[in-house]
């Protein structure tokens, strides 16, 4: 069986380093805060090419705290894409703001910058571009719009550690970028974890306060905050894994290149890789109207696959209060019908990638969609 993601294969390769880091934390019994957390934060800020990184308890919390630090709250509107994981919108609703959807670009499945201005009202406070599947959003037009209308840009980089836009890593384009270190992410902890990255010192200070009970000193609380800290065990694990990220990204991209080459004329639509955009393939997503049939054939051949995501956010029961209906965001809806994620992780071998591609090709040919 070739899984969608293989966390065990990765742990087996770095077992000694990880076990040593965990043992160090246990020996020091410093489980919250301290040098394990700050040392990972420094390393992650440097990796992202940004001034500050603040470890938090999840990607969802990273988004929520970043929005609060950007001054987004009750009654404000925040523009984002309906083609994302629900956490993006939970964070918006979580601060009392109203999510406003804009359809995605048909090719990349990321927010279409050309549609954003029409959605801006006098209540709009921020835009959350989501670098979905590890494919960077076209940031320049979004930054222009934000400057023109005085909006904050909070990047949802949960799936895009190390992705590059015009030669620069994601992390410092907007006012703040939010990362998830959920175990299956490109940089994944061994539990829940997240990070906020920014070049803005005021935002960094505010997130640091908010994540730790609004504490300015041990028993002085400047604001009412939260318990949203990154713990030392996760920080120590993440620091070990961060040192491998460049190699792992290259390995993901190498697997994507094999898929790209072998699936060229399989009759399925391949992920975009436009000039100036360097995706990190958190997911390798092909598109085909025969998605379910191909997934079945892959399963029968011992290959796992996934669908990210089958229900667009505007069609989710939890968001029915927004009053949307089918047809409101046609590109997003089309992607939800057609998308199929193939196995993708750094340890996927050349032979495994070739086998997966052959099975996709075979299934597509037998469904007569090739050519
Ligand atoms: C696009 C996106 N945003 C936000 C999140 C939330 O991250 P977390 O699960 O760490 O809270 C995730 C991942 O789960 C995600 O994929």
């Amino acid at each position: 069986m070739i899984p969608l993601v293989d966390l065990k294969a990765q742990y087996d390769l770095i077992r000694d380093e990880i076990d040593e880091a965990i043992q160090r934390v246990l020996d020091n019994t410093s489980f919250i805060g301290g040098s394990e957390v700050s040392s990972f934060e420094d390393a992650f800020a440097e990796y992202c090419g940004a001034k500050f990184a603040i470890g938090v308890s999840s990607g969802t919390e990273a988004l929520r705290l970043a929005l609060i630090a950007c001054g987004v709250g009750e009654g404000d509107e925040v523009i984002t894409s309906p083609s994302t994981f629900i956490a993006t919108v939970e964070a918006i609703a979580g601060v009392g703001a109203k999510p406003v959807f804009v359809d995605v670009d048909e090719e990349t499945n990321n927010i279409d910058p050309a549609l954003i201005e029409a959605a801006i009202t006098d209540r709009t406070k921020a835009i959350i571009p989501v670098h979905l599947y590890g494919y960077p959003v076209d940031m320049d037009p979004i930054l222009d719009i934000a400057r023109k209308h005085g909006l904050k840009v909070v990047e949802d980089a949960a799936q895009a550690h190390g992705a590059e836009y015009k030669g620069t890593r994601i992390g410092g384009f907007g006012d703040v970028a939010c990362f998830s270190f959920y175990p299956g992410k490109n940089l994944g902890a061994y539990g829940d974890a997240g990070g906020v990255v920014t070049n803005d010192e005021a935002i960094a200070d505010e997130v640091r306060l908010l994540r730790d009970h609004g504490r300015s000193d041990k028993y002085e609380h400047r604001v009412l905050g939260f318990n949203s800290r990154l713990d030392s065990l996760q920080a120590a694990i993440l620091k070990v894994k961060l040192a491998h990220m460049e190699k792992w990204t290259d390995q993901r991209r190498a697997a994507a290149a094999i898929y790209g080459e072998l699936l060229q004329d399989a009759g399925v639509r391949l992920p975009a890789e436009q000039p100036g955009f360097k995706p990190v393939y958190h997911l390798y997503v092909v598109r085909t109207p025969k998605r379910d049939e191909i997934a079945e054939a892959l399963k029968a051949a011992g290959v796992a696959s996934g669908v990210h995501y089958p229900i667009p956010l505007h069609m989710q029961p939890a968001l029915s209060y927004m009053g949307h209906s089918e047809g409101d965001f046609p590109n997003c809806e089309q992607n939800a019908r057609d998308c199929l994620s193939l196995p993708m992780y750094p340890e996927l071998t050349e032979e495994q990638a070739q086998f997966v591609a052959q099975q996709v090709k075979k299934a597509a040919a037998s469904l007569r969609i090739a050519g």
Side-chain angles (χ1 to χ4, degrees):
M1 189 78 194
I2 302 180
L4 197 57
V5 176
D6 192 344
L7 298 183
K8 179 80 167 62
Q10 185 169 85
Y11 175 55
D12 285 344
L13 289 173
I14 55 171
R15 182 185 290 268
D16 291 347
E17 290 174 87
I18 292 283
D19 290 2
E20 193 188 310
I22 291 176
Q23 193 57 53
R24 186 178 64 237
V25 176
L26 297 182
D27 288 338
N28 292 337
T29 59
S30 170
F31 297 117
I32 302 284
S35 62
E36 296 290 351
V37 173
S38 58
S39 145
F40 168 67
E41 288 174 335
D42 291 347
F44 192 62
E46 192 185 332
Y47 175 81
C48 294
K51 284 194 195 145
F52 310 101
I54 303 102
V56 294
S57 53
S58 71
T60 312
E61 274 304 274
L63 286 162
R64 195 166 70 98
L65 302 190
L67 286 170
I68 298 172
C70 283
V72 179
E74 209 71 43
D76 293 331
E77 293 180 3
V78 178
I79 294 174
T80 194
S81 139
S83 206
T84 177
F85 182 62
I86 193 143
T88 316
V89 163
E90 284 174 326
I92 299 171
V95 303
K98 179 182 164 199
V100 174
F101 291 132
V102 159
D103 205 2
V104 293
D105 175 83
E106 190 268 335
E107 174 74 10
T108 65
N109 198 32
N110 278 335
I111 193 165
D112 184 347
L115 303 176
I116 291 177
E117 272 196 295
I120 294 176
T121 71
D122 53 8
R123 297 191 155 207
T124 310
K125 255 297 186 34
I127 307 171
I128 305 188
V130 184
H131 307 287
L132 201 71
Y133 307 151
Y135 194 90
V137 170
D138 189 8
M139 290 304 294
D140 279 346
I142 292 178
L143 296 172
D144 284 346
I145 294 166
R147 260 190 300 270
K148 187 170 149 197
H149 296 271
L151 307 177
K152 296 284 186 189
V153 176
V154 177
E155 296 171 69
D156 184 337
Q159 303 189 359
H161 319 68
E164 290 176 27
Y165 174 67
K166 300 189 176 171
T168 301
R169 270 194 194 147
I170 295 298
F173 287 101
D175 295 279
V176 50
C178 301
F179 291 85
S180 166
F181 305 127
Y182 182 80
K185 294 292 195 276
N186 289 29
L187 177 60
Y190 289 168
D192 276 310
V196 174
V197 168
T198 182
N199 286 314
D200 184 324
E201 194 164 9
I203 292 180
D205 288 347
E206 183 73 7
V207 171
R208 254 186 232 111
L209 266 188
L210 290 170
R211 74 166 170 184
D212 190 22
H213 299 291
R215 211 174 239 146
S216 41
D217 199 358
K218 190 165 180 174
Y219 291 117
E220 185 186 83
H221 307 274
R222 196 177 314 155
V223 294
L224 289 177
F226 310 97
N227 177 351
S228 305
R229 297 172 297 231
L230 172 69
D231 71 64
S232 311
L233 269 172
Q234 300 306 339
I237 289 162
L238 287 165
K239 176 96 189 283
V240 167
K241 295 182 84 178
L242 182 59
H244 295 274
M245 273 299 280
E246 285 181 25
K247 175 186 67 202
W248 288 341
T249 297
D250 289 347
Q251 289 171 334
R252 283 177 185 271
R253 289 180 50 79
I258 294 174
Y259 283 156
E261 196 188 317
L262 298 181
L263 293 175
Q264 249 180 77
D265 21 66
V268 297
R269 191 163 172 188
L270 302 180
E273 190 157 337
Q274 298 154 334
F277 295 73
K278 188 175 171 195
V280 290
Y281 295 102
H282 171 56
L283 295 166
Y284 188 92
V285 179
V286 298
R287 284 179 283 176
T288 161
K290 302 276 185 193
R291 186 260 307 285
D292 295 337
E293 293 87 337
I294 293 191
E296 269 309 304
L298 290 177
K299 192 172 164 198
V303 174
S305 62
V307 174
H308 300 89
Y309 297 91
I311 308 174
L313 288 193
H314 65 285
M315 304 298 292
Q316 288 288 354
L319 295 171
S320 59
Y321 72 89
M322 290 177 71
H324 285 297
S325 49
E326 198 168 348
D328 283 358
F329 304 105
N331 290 344
C332 164
E333 290 166 25
Q334 191 63 49
N335 188 70
R337 280 191 289 271
D338 293 350
C339 63
L340 181 69
S341 307
L342 303 183
M344 174 52 73
Y345 45 91
E347 299 73 25
L348 188 75
T349 64
E350 209 175 308
E351 293 72 30
Q352 285 175 317
Q354 285 164 351
F355 180 76
V356 172
Q358 279 156 11
Q359 297 310 312
V360 172
K361 251 183 134 157
K362 205 167 113 188
S366 74
L367 293 160
R368 296 179 207 284
I369 61 171

